[in-house]
Amino acid sequence: MARIAVIGAGMGAMAAAARLAVAGHRVTVYERSETFGGSVGRYARDGFAFDTGPSLLHLPAVYRDLFVKTGKEPLERCVTMTQVDPASRHLFADGTAVSLPNASRAGVVAALDSALGAGAGGSWGGFLDRARDAWDRSRRPLLEEPLRADWEVLGRDPYPALRQRRLLRPARLAGTVAEVGAWELTDPRLAALLDGYALSYGLDPLRAPAGAALLPYMEETFGSWYVAGGIRALAQAVYERCLARKVEFVFGAEVARVVEKDGRAAGVELAEGTVAEADHVVLGAWPHPDLVPGQGLWQSGDVTARPGGGTPVPGRFQVLLSLRGARPADAAHRTVVHGADGAAEREAVFGGRLAAGPTVTVIRPDDPTTRPDDAHEAVTLTATVAPHGAVDWTDGALRERYAATLIEAAGAAVPGIRERVLHAEVRTPAESAVDTGAEGGSVPAPALAGAGGAYLHPGNRTRLPGLYLAGGWSHPGGGLAHAGMSGALVAGLIVEGDGFRGSR
């Protein structure tokens, strides 16, 4: 039985902790804040409750596997999950609206044909077929295996772009999300739909490789799931599973550095000076290089660039609205109000400025636990924005102005929303930075193949033997499903050793 110290109590870290404890190890989690979940937070006021992180779960098989492997109770006995239908409603700048059914390729094709015109559904369906090929080609090395020593093979884009023939000029192939939208989808609304997927994950469509097509493929194939009580209820269930497996949690314990002895990780030193010895250390928080002075975290030859080739990683701006008035029975759980000028929005978000007309995601859960009674409604507005530092998100006037901008945009999805507001709570990357410790309150994007490896994350093994990385800032990147995968990979590497190649 080994002693294992886990830094951080985010979803990836807890997934690793539960699996390691089941394998017979003594696991202690050190969390700088007073609670678990990392970015999966919850805000409550006057009977209203809101998720402050992800609002939907995609690829639930990751957490089903976690619960099967760590105990007798499956996930569905610990939380109540339902597929939201429609999966999303989209409002475009020209006034067009379309509702996309959940996990139904035929339904999506029919909805797009009906709303955007004949042929639109077929165009999107053909794109999803190519996205499926990208998924099949990259799924295992990108998501289910530790990052290979020859990770450069993932630098090649798995998306089979259509060859675009041109008169008197060489044929061209789409290499980015924006080029797929412009050259293969052609309808600007379909291009906006694809751009919106990328932007919601914090990816710049102008730079993100075409292989990002697997993100909408995952959502539209495996579905969008809501957890009763919000995604925070999923974090609670994972935390309780850890406790049931005898994982110890120490909250309010900030780790100052990883202790090194005889050339390997030997424990952690807390900010107040206490040293906790360990045989292995799992870093499940933002990987600040100072945690391992003189060593760095990355393996020799590993990926060192930040996702996106060194561009600032965006954060999220949220407005949590307590509304008077009942939620209409036909309201969509998730509505995306697309901005009028996608190019300007991209330039602002990834150039460190405010977007004048942001794309806004409106979340309206049909969940009694989110509101004091059926005469009220809890609504969350979210936009992808530049991180704190590039924009001063502590500026009170700026926060109020931008909250008003999101509320105005959300009026297209929730008529009369401004008159219904009882209270508006604003959360920005500045709050995220405090809650998660991530620089600038940035939110990690999922790892992507292509672009020469610029969108890969550091591997789960590090240069320092005995030190491992879990969570969104490590392979295979950000998002609930990806974080859960990272926990499984780290546990496999510790339990089975460097010969571990992932689950089959």
Side-chain angles (χ1 to χ4, degrees):
M1 178 176 68
R3 299 165 300 173
I4 298 176
V6 178
I7 304 172
M11 298 297 281
M14 290 196 296
R19 290 175 181 271
L20 289 166
V22 165
H25 299 299
R26 192 171 73 211
V27 183
T28 303
V29 177
Y30 299 91
E31 167 57 44
R32 62 193 290 273
S33 73
E34 298 299 331
T35 189
F36 55 86
S39 63
V40 182
R42 193 78 162 159
Y43 173 80
R45 171 180 171 143
D46 300 333
F48 294 91
F50 309 83
D51 280 324
T52 58
S55 59
L56 291 170
L57 176 63
H58 307 293
L59 209 60
V62 173
Y63 287 92
R64 290 188 176 118
D65 181 71
L66 170 64
F67 276 73
V68 166
K69 299 288 177 59
T70 60
K72 296 181 180 179
E73 281 191 307
L75 177 62
E76 277 80 0
R77 286 189 186 175
C78 300
V79 297
T80 299
M81 299 195 307
T82 56
Q83 285 187 295
V84 297
D85 202 11
S88 57
R89 181 171 179 249
H90 295 265
L91 304 178
F92 299 102
D94 67 352
T96 307
V98 61
S99 293
L100 302 181
N102 203 336
S104 171
R105 174 74 63 84
V108 168
V109 168
L112 290 171
D113 275 341
S114 176
L116 308 187
S123 180
W124 185 259
F127 158 72
L128 287 180
D129 286 339
R130 296 187 292 280
R132 179 190 59 209
D133 289 344
W135 168 262
D136 290 340
R137 293 175 182 180
S138 60
R139 173 181 59 85
R140 184 158 180 78
L142 184 64
L143 302 176
E144 298 176 355
E145 297 178 343
L147 194 63
R148 295 163 50 168
D150 61 340
W151 58 264
E152 290 87 351
V153 300
L154 288 171
R156 296 191 292 270
D157 200 319
Y159 180 77
L162 295 178
R163 184 172 294 276
Q164 306 288 319
R165 300 187 182 279
R166 299 184 293 174
L167 184 64
L168 303 179
R169 288 185 291 174
R172 64 186 181 184
L173 295 173
T176 67
V177 169
E179 289 172 350
V180 171
W183 301 350
E184 296 184 4
L185 298 177
T186 66
D187 188 312
R189 294 164 298 185
L190 291 180
L193 179 61
L194 178 57
D195 283 0
Y197 276 109
L199 191 63
S200 70
Y201 284 99
L203 297 166
D204 182 356
L206 286 177
R207 303 184 63 178
L214 62 83
L215 298 174
Y217 172 80
M218 285 171 56
E219 288 198 22
E220 296 193 15
T221 301
F222 303 110
S224 297
W225 298 75
Y226 178 71
V227 178
I231 294 297
R232 179 66 179 178
L234 175 63
Q236 177 77 38
V238 175
Y239 171 67
E240 291 176 354
R241 177 55 54 90
C242 286
L243 294 179
R245 301 283 79 82
K246 309 303 181 184
V247 174
E248 181 183 357
F249 285 80
V250 183
F251 294 108
E254 183 170 3
V255 173
R257 69 181 182 93
V258 174
V259 175
E260 179 186 347
K261 183 178 180 181
D262 298 328
R264 63 173 291 113
V268 296
E269 180 180 342
L270 303 183
E272 41 83 6
T274 301
V275 172
E277 296 181 349
D279 301 295
H280 302 280
V281 177
V282 177
L283 175 54
W286 184 69
H288 197 293
D290 290 346
L291 284 169
V292 193
Q295 279 282 345
L297 292 170
W298 325 134
Q299 266 189 298
S300 178
D302 204 350
V303 182
T304 57
R306 290 200 296 177
T311 57
V313 180
R316 305 293 184 268
F317 186 100
Q318 289 186 317
V319 187
L320 315 178
L321 295 174
S322 303
L323 302 183
R324 62 172 63 89
R327 177 187 186 275
D330 61 351
H333 181 101
R334 175 175 58 171
T335 299
V336 181
V337 182
H338 293 269
D341 190 339
E345 181 176 11
R346 293 192 298 263
E347 290 176 5
V349 170
F350 298 95
R353 304 186 305 277
L354 287 181
T359 295
V360 178
T361 299
V362 182
I363 299 295
R364 308 177 72 181
D366 186 12
D367 184 347
T369 69
T370 65
R371 54 189 183 250
D373 53 52
D374 287 342
H376 295 84
E377 181 180 9
V379 173
T380 301
L381 314 180
T382 304
T384 299
V385 296
H388 182 53
V391 174
D392 181 7
W393 288 115
T394 63
D395 183 329
L398 181 149
R399 292 159 62 98
E400 288 188 15
R401 288 198 308 272
Y402 212 60
T405 297
L406 265 65
I407 292 172
E408 181 178 0
V414 188
I417 187 172
R418 189 179 298 276
E419 291 73 29
R420 295 177 58 193
V421 174
L422 291 170
H423 176 74
E425 179 70 18
V426 175
R427 290 185 54 84
T428 77
E431 282 75 34
S432 298
V434 173
D435 290 347
T436 68
E439 183 180 26
S442 295
V443 178
L448 299 174
Y455 288 80
L456 299 176
H457 292 255
N460 308 107
R461 286 180 292 249
T462 72
R463 181 177 299 172
L464 182 64
L467 175 62
Y468 300 84
L469 302 181
W473 293 105
S474 65
H475 179 74
L480 281 172
H482 292 69
M485 292 175 193
S486 77
L489 293 176
V490 166
L493 287 168
I494 293 176
V495 173
E496 299 185 26
D498 287 345
F500 174 69
R501 291 293 179 267
S503 58
R504 295 183 182 273

